[in-house]
Amino acid sequence: SQTIHQWPATLVQPVGSPLSLECTVEGTSNPNLYWYRQAAGRGLQLLFYSVGIGQISSEVPQNLSASRPQDRQFILSSKKLLLSDSGFYLCACRRVLRGSGGDTQYFGPGTRLTVL
Amino acid sequence: GENVEQHPSTLSVQEGDSAVIKCTYSDSASNYFPWYKQELGKRPQLIIDIRSNVGEKKDQRIAVTLNKTAKHFSLHITETQPEDSAVYFCAASRGGGSNYKLTFGKGTLLTVNP
């Protein structure tokens, strides 16, 4: 079965510093991968998704970027963090559901980012 | 694109009572509707889902109903317990295809009081 890893688990960064969050997936190949952000007490905002190596779709314009250098690796980056970038960053993977004839998304454990 | 509205935003019930959360969607082509439960500080976890070819699905104390004509679906939790306290998200998608995405509702904070 699929396992999603996210690193680091928590991060405190000063405003204006760079950011790199990593998501890796085991147990599948060529998965669709997604980055979500969740501000405190808020819903899930889709930031980027990727259907393959080097293929990135951006959902919301902002100072973040994403890259997919390998099949099972998805990276979220920023050159200069803003206070508003604080939140819970979740990586998700598309998974085919056996028996139900469809697919869904499963989430990684998340990275909690605080920008001071 | 798809738009999912979720109500209520907060819900407080007594232990043992039932809880109902409702969602509406805008894209008539949507055919897959999952529900996620997110406990404080944790990742969202898929708890139940339904596809457009069925009207109801049940798994122990939780059930989901779908009305395609009205474009709404609901989560029902019976005999609520304190451990059911969490934020619940509904979502919708067209399913399949290379650009598969879920559109989420804004969430419902459910509190079950002992």
Side-chain angles (χ1 to χ4, degrees), chain A residues 92-104:
Chain A
C93 178
R94 178 184 180 183
R95 181 186 295 181
V96 176
L97 295 171
R98 298 188 179 189
S100 68
D103 42 20
T104 190

Side-chain angles (χ1 to χ4, degrees), chain A residues 29-94:
Chain A
S29 59
N30 195 31
N32 281 24
L33 297 174
Y34 308 83
W35 276 114
Y36 288 87
R37 176 170 61 197
Q38 189 174 34
R42 304 290 295 276
L44 299 160
Q45 180 186 33
L46 179 62
L47 302 175
F48 302 94
Y49 71 96
S50 172
V51 300
I53 295 174
Q55 301 180 65
I56 308 295
S57 296
S58 174
E59 291 292 299
V60 182
Q62 58 212 312
N63 72 323
L64 298 172
S65 62
S67 62
R68 188 162 174 181
Q70 300 180 43
D71 181 43
R72 288 171 282 182
Q73 183 185 32
F74 202 20
I75 296 173
L76 183 68
S77 304
S78 174
K79 292 182 179 179
K80 289 185 177 182
L81 283 169
L82 306 173
L83 286 174
S84 58
D85 290 325
S86 292
F88 192 36
Y89 287 81
L90 291 154
C91 178
C93 178
R94 178 184 180 183

